[in-house]
Amino acid sequence: MAATRAIRAATGAPSGEGRAASGRRTARPVAPGAVGRAEAPEPGENPRPDQDPAPGQGPRPVGEGVGRPREGGRDRSRPRGEQPSGPRGEPGGRGGGAGRSAGEPTGAPVPPQAAGERSPAGGPARSAHPPQPGESGELAAARQAGGDRLRFIGAATRRIARGIDLDEIVLGLCRATVPTFADAILVYLRDPLPVGDERPTGPVVLRLRRTDRIPEEPDTNGVRMPVLPAQPDLGPAMGGSAAELAEVRPGGPLAEVLRGVRPLFGEAQAARTALPELLGADTRLPGGHRVVLAPLRGRRRVIGAAVFLRTPDRPAFEPDDLLVAAQLATHTALGVDKAVLYGREAYIADALQRTMLPDSLPQPTGVRLASRYLPAAETARVGGDWYDAIPLPGSRVALVVGDVMGHSMTSAAIMGQLRTTAQTLAGLDLPPQEVLHHLDEQAQRLGSDRMATCLYAVYDPVAHRIVIANAGHPPPVMLHRGGRAEVLRVPAGAPIGVGGVDFEAVELDAPAGATLVLYTDGLVESRIRDVWTGIEQLRERLTETARLTGPNPPPLEPLCDEVLDMLGPGDRDDDIALLAARFDGIAPSDVAYWYLDPKAQTAGQARRLARRALSRWGLEELTDQLELLVSEVVTNAVRYAERPITLRLLRTDVLRCEVGDDVPQLPRLRQARPSDEGGRGLYLVNRMTRRWGATRLSMGKVVWFELSMPPGAGRG
């Protein structure tokens, strides 16, 4: 058997002589369905060579092992201790043969061969299962074919099981079967594939997922190699092209075959009617037992079908090959189920993480923002790190970064709840230390072991100041305009979830052109460095990056990339969240601010002040529009306010107007009836402005709106 010898030579499979010389017993015939059973010793034979002989037997001759001929023992024509040489003069035949059992996989599938095949030298090919004394040639050939099938199934299933995603599993099936088991294969899967206990609606549709076949022409070395054609072309010898889509009609022949689960020969009556429905009526298949149709059944339902084909120049499939096809189909279907479930879990985890983090950062006035998020591992894209930027009244912005312990689905869920709580508290315009206090209470309500660190900062672009409170988080780093990087001294505080602790806030200068870098500990701490060493490395990296751009501050996006480049191969132990804020501020010349008493004449006074400010800024084109809107908003504030109201105009890329009062109730946009005397002020604001809104404060509210700047208008 020349082909068998060539495959064993390439894969290191043991030959018959090698096993006999190594003292191992040759394999006995394996009955169908007996795969995996232990083989019983023959009468009078000890099951293991290293055990004592059975009672009543004499001592075993030295050097005689199980599997040697009982009649002759060793070869008397050779001196004691000399072993028969293999083809290369090595003891026991080819290297690597000793030490392998007859049924042990060799690492590559071995195709079943026809009995009686001879070697190129003219003698009979050495068999992996040498005939037993008194055994007929037919029985020996059947025994060898069964052993070859077992080794092939073992190698093929291992290759299929190595796949993680759907494509790898299907590719593993194709590459394992072509050309060893079949000359061509088609794999059909349901489209879409059901997941878990889902009950798909609509008709069952099978889509051709992949095909594999041996090319018609040999390569330059005369060896046929498998290829993966882009089209479902089986070649002229096997019927040409197959259909890419097949709808399974309820009660049809294909549905009946799939329901039966067991593989069928193409000549079977059920398969003859089902194959045209699957492959197309025009596909002409080889005759005889050269086609096997194997349903792919997962854990709960049939998910597809596989078609194995052989050309007329190759031996037809045998009945035992149906068992091989069943094993391949079962392992493939279970692997596809596993891949679909894994893909759904990965999708859910990824979608959860994306939902928990902001899709995009806002663009508040006076500050520019950039962010990065890196999971601890690509295979587990969920974690407890988060960042946020929340616009606040008065053109301020809250900058938040936090880290929940762990990087699991539970950590991500807790992170989402804390982030939502922080956004709600920010909307109330509470001081940073109060926000952390309420977050600590929320963490304790979620559970006794819910721990997190958080840093909350509020930047005021008008005052050029920033207020920061910290709850056990690494300190932020400020990169000044001249290139100096400074680690801000902020009281660390206790982590969120400890309970019973106070948080302290500090107010610092935030000059224009400076950059505040907030981060989680995954950026600066790892198994190979402590947190303070990492913070110092971050400070040095920011300084080096700023030196490259000279007096101008470095762009934010490249700056974030440079910061992440400081991570080495062993530095990715935890998730990383990074938030960088470039402070532009608002110049005092672009701000107009007044306190107004809540009197009936206040609306007219507000119109005059707004007109003067627009004249000073050269924005007379907006005068009529701004006067009308200011009059409506101030009138509503004066009607209910008891303390002086505030009016502020900000000139940036837009014209922003803010009116504050001491009434906490927020205005509500409604549709006024023709008979109503009021209720149209907010309707005008909504129709005439670029954006508008109302924010509740701790001592009242602020109603604001924005107008687009006229063409050609700029900041003076």
Side-chain angles (χ1 to χ4, degrees), residues 193-445:
L193 278 166
V195 181
D197 295 328
E198 288 183 356
R199 294 187 175 273
T201 59
V204 177
V205 177
L206 301 182
R207 179 182 293 276
L208 184 61
R209 186 77 184 192
R210 185 178 288 275
T211 64
D212 194 358
R213 67 175 175 85
I214 299 177
E216 299 298 329
E217 296 295 332
D219 66 359
T220 55
N221 296 326
V223 181
R224 300 187 301 177
M225 300 296 290
V227 296
L228 294 176
Q231 301 296 329
D233 181 14
L234 298 177
M238 284 180 289
S241 298
E244 294 191 24
L245 285 177
E247 181 176 341
V248 182
R249 300 191 306 272
L254 182 57
E256 293 298 325
V257 171
L258 296 180
R259 189 178 297 112
V261 177
R262 294 182 179 179
L264 299 173
F265 285 124
E267 290 297 309
Q269 177 61 32
R272 279 205 308 266
T273 55
L275 283 171
E277 185 178 347
L278 178 65
L279 306 180
D282 297 334
T283 305
R284 300 176 304 279
L285 299 175
H289 287 179
R290 304 187 182 279
V291 179
V292 173
L293 173 58
L296 303 179
R297 182 174 183 82
R299 291 175 176 84
R300 293 175 177 85
R301 60 180 64 85
V302 174
I303 60 174
V307 181
F308 305 93
L309 303 102
R310 284 187 182 176
T311 54
D313 60 349
R314 182 170 179 173
F317 290 110
E318 300 177 4
D320 287 345
D321 291 328
L322 293 180
L323 301 177
V324 176
Q327 288 287 329
L328 296 176
T330 298
H331 284 273
T332 301
L334 294 178
V336 169
D337 262 356
K338 175 192 68 177
V340 172
L341 288 173
Y342 175 81
R344 173 60 62 89
E345 291 177 0
Y347 169 78
I348 292 174
D350 194 53
L352 175 64
Q353 187 68 46
R354 287 198 306 267
T355 303
M356 297 303 181
L357 296 175
D359 293 333
S360 60
L361 293 173
Q363 299 298 326
T365 302
V367 61
R368 286 174 286 170
L369 303 171
S371 64
R372 294 290 187 274
Y373 174 80
L374 293 179
E378 290 298 324
T379 55
R381 299 183 60 85
V382 292
D385 294 19
W386 90 92
Y387 60 89
D388 217 339
I390 309 168
L392 299 177
S395 298
R396 295 172 301 152
V397 59
L399 306 174
V400 191
V401 64
D403 182 7
V404 179
M405 286 193 310
H407 42 82
S408 62
M409 296 284 286
T410 302
S411 302
I414 296 172
M415 177 267 288
Q417 297 180 68
L418 293 180
R419 178 174 178 248
T420 302
T421 303
Q423 289 179 329
T424 304
L425 296 171
L428 300 176
D429 198 29
L430 298 178
Q433 64 271 23
E434 290 296 322
V435 172
L436 295 184
H437 175 73
H438 289 292
L439 283 176
D440 179 64
E441 293 180 339
Q442 175 67 11
Q444 294 179 66
R445 285 191 291 267

Side-chain angles (χ1 to χ4, degrees), residues 419-707:
R419 178 174 178 248
T420 302
T421 303
Q423 289 179 329
T424 304
L425 296 171
L428 300 176
D429 198 29
L430 298 178
Q433 64 271 23
E434 290 296 322
V435 172
L436 295 184
H437 175 73
H438 289 292
L439 283 176
D440 179 64
E441 293 180 339
Q442 175 67 11
Q444 294 179 66
R445 285 191 291 267
L446 294 176
S448 58
D449 58 344
R450 308 310 189 197
M451 305 285 291
T453 63
C454 182
L455 192 144
Y456 188 94
V458 176
Y459 170 65
D460 189 342
V462 177
H464 296 271
R465 304 281 289 176
I466 187 169
V467 182
I468 306 176
N470 191 2
H473 203 78
V477 179
M478 179 84 76
L479 178 62
H480 294 273
R481 190 181 184 91
R484 180 175 63 90
E486 173 189 7
V487 180
L488 299 183
R489 297 185 177 182
V490 180
I496 291 173
V498 173
V501 296
D502 292 331
F503 299 98
E504 182 181 353
V506 295
E507 186 174 358
L508 304 171
D509 288 330
T515 304
L516 184 68
V517 178
L518 309 178
Y519 53 91
T520 56
D521 58 355
L523 179 66
V524 295
E525 186 179 19
S526 67
R527 290 171 293 178
I528 61 176
R529 61 179 176 181
D530 62 87
V531 61
W532 288 108
T533 301
I535 292 175
E536 181 62 23
Q537 291 178 0
L538 172 62
R539 190 190 65 80
E540 294 175 355
R541 175 57 64 95
L542 291 174
T543 302
E544 294 173 0
T545 305
R547 189 179 297 116
L548 298 176
T549 58
N552 298 320
L556 276 184
E557 296 294 339
L559 178 64
C560 292
D561 295 334
E562 287 292 330
V563 168
L564 294 181
D565 284 344
M566 66 179 280
L567 297 172
D571 293 347
R572 291 289 304 280
D573 297 336
D574 198 359
D575 308 325
I576 298 174
L578 176 67
L579 179 63
R582 173 70 45 76
F583 300 142
D584 293 333
I586 300 176
S589 59
D590 294 327
V591 181
Y593 193 87
W594 303 278
Y595 284 95
L596 304 175
D597 293 328
K599 299 185 297 184
Q601 301 84 0
T602 301
Q605 181 184 3
R607 289 194 296 269
R608 291 192 298 272
L609 294 174
R611 184 168 54 249
R612 293 174 186 172
L614 292 182
S615 178
R616 184 171 68 252
W617 291 334
L619 301 176
E620 289 84 356
E621 298 180 30
L622 301 178
T623 300
D624 295 340
Q625 187 177 0
L626 181 62
E627 284 187 358
L628 175 60
L629 297 176
V630 166
S631 179
E632 293 292 340
V633 177
V634 170
T635 299
N636 289 337
V638 169
R639 181 177 299 176
Y640 305 103
E642 297 179 358
R643 298 179 180 178
I645 65 173
T646 59
L647 172 64
R648 184 165 74 167
L649 298 179
L650 301 173
R651 182 186 62 161
T652 57
D653 53 341
V654 296
L655 180 65
R656 182 182 176 99
C657 176
E658 300 173 351
V659 177
D661 57 57
D662 61 344
V663 181
Q665 287 79 16
L666 298 180
R668 179 172 55 90
L669 179 64
R670 61 186 180 89
Q671 190 71 31
R673 294 174 296 182
S675 58
D676 292 342
E677 295 183 359
R680 296 176 179 83
L682 287 182
Y683 176 78
L684 292 175
V685 173
N686 183 60
R687 294 300 299 265
M688 298 178 64
T689 61
R690 184 172 177 264
R691 288 193 312 158
W692 77 279
T695 305
R696 184 179 283 111
L697 305 178
S698 57
M699 297 296 294
K701 68 175 181 295
V702 168
V703 180
W704 57 270
F705 60 83
E706 293 177 351
L707 298 176

Side-chain angles (χ1 to χ4, degrees), residues 153-219:
I153 291 175
T157 53
R158 286 195 301 272
R159 184 163 191 171
I160 294 170
R162 282 199 299 265
I164 296 179
D165 59 20
L166 188 61
D167 290 333
E168 288 181 351
I169 292 171
V170 177
L171 178 61
L173 171 65
C174 293
R175 290 291 171 86
T177 55
V178 178
T180 307
F181 181 69
D183 294 325
I185 183 175
L186 299 97
V187 182
Y188 284 83
L189 296 178
R190 292 182 65 163
D191 187 22
L193 278 166
V195 181
D197 295 328
E198 288 183 356
R199 294 187 175 273
T201 59
V204 177
V205 177
L206 301 182
R207 179 182 293 276
L208 184 61
R209 186 77 184 192
R210 185 178 288 275
T211 64
D212 194 358
R213 67 175 175 85
I214 299 177
E216 299 298 329
E217 296 295 332
D219 66 359

